[in-house]
Structures are given as structure tokens and as C-alpha cells.
Amino acid sequence: MLRSVLINGKKCAGILAQLEVDTIIAGVGINVSQASFPVDLETPATSLLLEGVAASREDLLVALVECVDRYTRLSSDEILRQFTNVSSYVIGKRVRVEAGVTGLVGVTCGLDPAGFLRVREDNGTETTILAGGVRPL
């Protein structure tokens, strides 16, 4: 499962997680101090520096580890509830989903119990997004 963290509609971080037997393996990448990005990126990117946040990589790593530790102690229901409360994409965002050769357009309508985004297409069909890029319209 790949998730992006956006600031002002631009990707600032990415999280890749996968389940291996009974363990979740996660990788996190954060654009901390990049001063520029190629203009032809498929997904517009930004960094903390470009958004006016001066942070050392070391301090950011410590804060990230502390957050991971705190949130791994929560139930999955509580994690989903908190994520829904702070995300600007989970509910009511008009989006285009690009997945393989097909795509769909609709409005986000929450997360399923596993944390996958649900989108209500214009024809009323609800689709759970297992993979693909989600972009605002």
C-alpha cells in the first residue's frame, strides 16, 4: 500500500507498507531540504524547506520514530478515526484515480476497515482503491 503526504496539493512524503505474514514492513520517504524539483514530474512535489519549514533530518527522524511508537499502540479503529479527522482527502474530495490503463472520477467517501480509500463514482458505484494515484480535480 502506497500513500502520499501532500502539502498544498504537492507530494512531500511517501509511505509504502506491505504485510509480510503477521508483520507490517513500512518505508517512509520525506522531502526535507530539496530546493527544487524537475518541472515534468507526474505528481508535483515539494519539500519542507520549500513550504517554509526548516527542519533537520535528525530532529525529523526522532519525531517520526516517536510518532510511530505512539500510534502503533493504538487500535486500528482509533488509527483510522484519527487519520480520517486530519486528512483533507478521505471524505468529500473530488478526485481522479489513475490505476493501470483505467481510471475513475468521483468523490472520496471514507476508508474501509483495512484503511483503503473508498470513492463514489459519478454513477453512484462505490469503489475501494487498492492501488493507483489519487489526484484532486
Side-chain angles (χ1 to χ4, degrees):
M1 175 184 343
L2 177 63
R3 297 288 186 236
S4 297
V5 178
L6 304 179
I7 298 176
N8 295 322
K10 296 178 182 177
K11 185 175 177 178
C12 184
I15 304 164
L16 177 62
Q18 72 181 60
L19 183 62
E20 292 291 332
V21 187
D22 61 350
T23 302
I24 296 174
I25 299 171
V28 177
I30 303 170
N31 299 334
V32 178
S33 57
Q34 291 83 348
S36 66
F37 291 91
V39 294
D40 60 345
L41 291 177
E42 182 177 326
T43 302
T46 190
S47 68
L48 295 176
L49 177 68
L50 290 172
E51 296 300 324
V53 178
S56 77
R57 292 177 301 175
E58 295 79 9
D59 291 344
L60 191 58
L61 177 61
V62 169
L64 179 62
V65 169
E66 288 172 351
C67 284
V68 168
D69 183 56
R70 181 173 62 242
Y71 285 104
T72 56
R73 297 172 194 267
L74 299 176
S75 70
S76 58
D77 288 342
E78 180 62 15
I79 290 170
L80 291 176
R81 186 187 69 71
Q82 287 191 27
F83 183 82
T84 298
N85 287 341
V86 300
S87 174
S88 59
Y89 271 74
V90 172
I91 297 174
K93 184 81 164 187
R94 186 143 179 84
V95 296
R96 172 182 308 283
V97 179
E98 299 157 357
V101 296
T102 63
L104 61 93
V105 172
V107 176
T108 59
C109 56
L111 303 174
D112 78 357
F116 290 104
L117 184 66
R118 292 178 309 157
V119 174
R120 182 172 294 112
E121 297 179 58
D122 294 340
N123 65 10
T125 302
E126 270 192 27
T127 302
T128 301
I129 308 304
L130 302 178
V134 179
R135 309 281 182 263
L137 285 179

